[in-house]
Amino acid sequence: EAAGEIAKSQGAKRKDDAAYHQALGEVLNAVTTAQIARESAVRLANNFDYTPGLPLLSDILARKTIAVRSAIEATTKALEAVGGAGYYRAFGLERLLRDSFAGQFHPFPEKKQQQISGRIALGLPPMTEHFDA
């Protein structure tokens, strides 16, 4: 969301720039997708009133993966929209980009999440003794 705000802040300077308009639209779509994934995960948690289980684990992890992927897309497209100034620390975007990439590693990288979800869908335990991903 912050990356979207940074990208939008450049709008006054780029009113006639079609490439900027498209990149900003892509940022906003990615932010919306991340918001939907987050809101869906919160809804599934039901204010901590839920029955723990593997299907719920799979659903929550999938939404985390979708949210992180969308955050990476939003920050990457925000950098594209803003241009080279986005690399300056004072601008604030480079940190958001770095932080969005870090989200891939908590609690599972995307490929491990997909393997876990696939195993759960087949009725298998979520992880093997020698987890390969």
Side-chain angles (χ1 to χ4, degrees), residues 3-4 6-8 10-11 14 17 19-27 74-86 91 93:
I6 290 171
K8 281 196 307 188
Q10 301 300 298
R14 315 272 303 270
D17 185 345
Y20 165 75
H21 301 157
Q22 181 173 344
L24 180 59
E26 291 172 329
V27 170
T75 54
T76 302
K77 288 297 179 177
L79 183 60
E80 181 181 317
V82 168
F91 208 74
L93 190 54

Side-chain angles (χ1 to χ4, degrees), residues 54-131:
L54 294 179
L56 180 61
L57 170 68
S58 177
D59 290 346
I60 294 291
L61 289 177
R63 282 154 179 78
K64 176 264 184 188
T65 294
I66 292 166
V68 168
R69 189 184 313 140
S70 297
I72 290 169
E73 181 181 359
T75 54
T76 302
K77 288 297 179 177
L79 183 60
E80 181 181 317
V82 168
Y87 284 103
Y88 292 111
R89 285 188 180 197
F91 208 74
L93 190 54
E94 61 85 26
R95 179 177 178 204
L96 295 172
L97 183 64
R98 186 178 66 246
D99 289 352
S100 70
F101 275 91
Q104 298 173 94
F105 306 105
H106 176 76
F108 292 108
E110 182 172 345
K111 295 300 180 189
K112 285 184 182 179
Q113 173 272 309
Q114 292 167 340
Q115 185 177 8
I116 289 168
S117 292
R119 290 181 61 81
I120 290 171
L122 294 173
L124 300 170
M127 297 173 83
T128 62
E129 186 176 318
H130 301 290
F131 195 80

